[in-house]
Amino acid sequence: MTAATEQDDARLVERLRDARAGHDEFSACPVRGVLDQIGDKWSTLIVITLAERPFRFGELRRALADISQRMLTQTLRDLQRDGLVERRVYPTVPPSVDYRLTPLGRSLLGPLGALIRWADENHGAIRAARLDFDAASDQPRTWTARGEIG
């Protein structure tokens, strides 16, 4: 790890500590509330999809084939509530609606892109770690009198 990386990590830890200041529990941390929403599976996929262009509800449902209608509706409402997605209704018969990222939602694309790049670069190492963990978990473990695994 370079000195610059260590400084960046220290600054991030300090910013997170500052964000939690005055909140006795993690559940009251304002950063956690934001990360809980944007960090869930469907929100991330919807934001990535809407980065391409505005989508109608049915198009989004087809683009995210394994999402239920109920989950898509709820996640879009949550993203609207957070100001990340805008719902536009057009005065046609029948009314047509599309969903698009707001400027705030677009501002999430940079950090999300960095996370996606990190996941792409490290998925092999994570898969290997999971296999190692699972293999070790399958082995019976016994403790010696000195507290060591035998």
Side-chain angles (χ1 to χ4, degrees), residues 57-68:
F57 186 89
E59 291 178 304
L60 272 174
R61 182 117 189 260
R62 286 187 296 278
L64 305 167
D66 51 346
I67 191 170
S68 70

Side-chain angles (χ1 to χ4, degrees), residues 39-110:
D40 77 65
K41 173 184 177 179
W42 296 117
S43 293
T44 301
L45 291 174
I46 290 170
V47 167
I48 291 167
T49 303
L50 291 177
E52 296 175 36
R53 62 179 175 81
F55 278 78
R56 294 181 64 169
F57 186 89
E59 291 178 304
L60 272 174
R61 182 117 189 260
R62 286 187 296 278
L64 305 167
D66 51 346
I67 191 170
S68 70
Q69 181 171 332
R70 181 175 178 267
M71 182 56 69
L72 179 57
T73 299
Q74 184 59 55
T75 306
L76 284 168
R77 284 184 183 153
D78 291 342
L79 291 168
Q80 283 179 260
R81 182 174 181 251
D82 288 346
L84 301 174
V85 168
E86 176 186 2
R87 179 180 185 263
R88 285 196 183 168
V89 180
Y90 297 95
T92 59
V93 177
S96 62
V97 176
D98 72 24
Y99 297 88
R100 61 188 64 223
L101 292 179
T102 63
L104 183 61
R106 289 214 165 272
S107 74
L108 179 58
L109 295 175

Side-chain angles (χ1 to χ4, degrees), residues 111-136:
L112 195 53
L115 180 60
I116 290 167
R117 281 188 297 282
W118 179 88
D120 186 49
E121 292 167 3
N122 292 287
H123 74 275
I126 291 170
R127 190 171 337 149
R130 288 176 179 168
L131 289 171
D132 290 346
F133 180 87
D134 292 347

